[in-house]
Amino acid sequence: MTQDNDVLSIVVMGVSGSGKTTIGLALSKNIGCTFLDADALHTPDNIKKMTSGHALDDEDRWPWLQSVGECIKAYEEDHLGSVTACSSLRRSYRDVLRNFVPDLFFVYLGGSLGLTAPRVETRANNVLPRALLGSQFDVLEPLEADEVGLCVDAEKDPNEIVNLVVRHLSATT
């Protein structure tokens, strides 16, 4: 899925329960890229804060986003394409990631609280309690027209979403 030796780096973004990990894993397998779950890079303090029912603030997120950006950049430097599941809720968060990888492609999985809440509630080992899901919607800034990416309805079947993304990437690369 790369062209002219360019490396493809994708971030699948959205609120908790939108399907970032499901879509990210399936997409990475489909296009032959490495998968990274950005949640695995949270500090123990961030995880403790979220599991105790407190929303992260920007001061909590900045070091985490730096780590995520560094990982994506390291994959590129090793000539590895990657698909990263990362909430990337605000444009400023996406800008941090773009500081590391300027041509990062974002797939925004848009969904309602009615769609995502049941998904979050039924998860085993969920770091983000259902009570914090509303705080994610409060800060969510969907992709803007000048950002490179694709907006997809998170309610669609995962295979359909992956196929939409692959078709879009094939048409633009």
Side-chain angles (χ1 to χ4, degrees):
M1 186 57 61
T2 61
Q3 185 174 347
D4 299 329
N5 295 325
D6 289 335
V7 175
L8 184 60
S9 298
I10 300 169
V11 172
V12 180
M13 62 167 282
V15 299
S16 187
S18 62
K20 296 181 300 294
T21 302
T22 300
I23 301 306
L25 278 167
L27 182 59
S28 68
K29 288 178 184 174
N30 185 296
I31 62 177
C33 288
T34 301
F35 175 74
L36 170 66
D37 186 343
D39 284 346
L41 299 176
H42 272 298
T43 64
D45 287 343
N46 280 4
I47 293 169
K48 183 179 178 183
K49 186 172 183 177
M50 287 184 287
T51 56
S52 68
H54 301 284
L56 298 180
D57 58 28
D58 285 351
E59 294 308 310
D60 300 317
R61 287 187 184 99
W62 297 132
W64 170 65
L65 290 164
Q66 294 281 331
S67 296
V68 174
E70 288 169 359
C71 281
I72 298 169
K73 182 178 179 179
Y75 286 133
E76 282 210 351
E77 288 173 345
D78 288 339
H79 305 286
L80 298 172
S82 66
V83 177
T84 302
C86 179
S87 52
S88 305
L89 298 174
R90 289 187 174 166
R91 183 181 181 127
S92 60
Y93 304 164
R94 297 186 295 273
D95 289 343
V96 169
L97 299 178
R98 279 190 288 263
N99 284 334
F100 291 93
V101 180
D103 59 346
L104 203 51
F105 184 88
F106 288 87
V107 176
Y108 167 53
L109 300 175
S112 67
L113 184 60
L115 172 70
T116 58
R119 292 177 178 182
V120 169
E121 290 167 353
T122 58
R123 278 189 187 157
N125 302 322
N126 189 30
V127 172
L128 186 92
R130 158 66 174 92
L132 293 183
L133 188 55
S135 69
Q136 289 196 334
F137 279 97
D138 291 343
V139 300
L140 176 64
E141 296 172 358
L143 285 178
E144 296 179 24
D146 65 329
E147 292 184 272
V148 178
L150 180 66
C151 298
V152 182
D153 183 351
E155 197 163 1
K156 292 183 182 292
D157 176 77
N159 290 327
E160 184 180 355
I161 292 172
V162 169
N163 289 335
L164 282 168
V165 175
V166 169
R167 280 195 307 272
H168 179 85
L169 291 170
S170 294
T172 59
T173 57

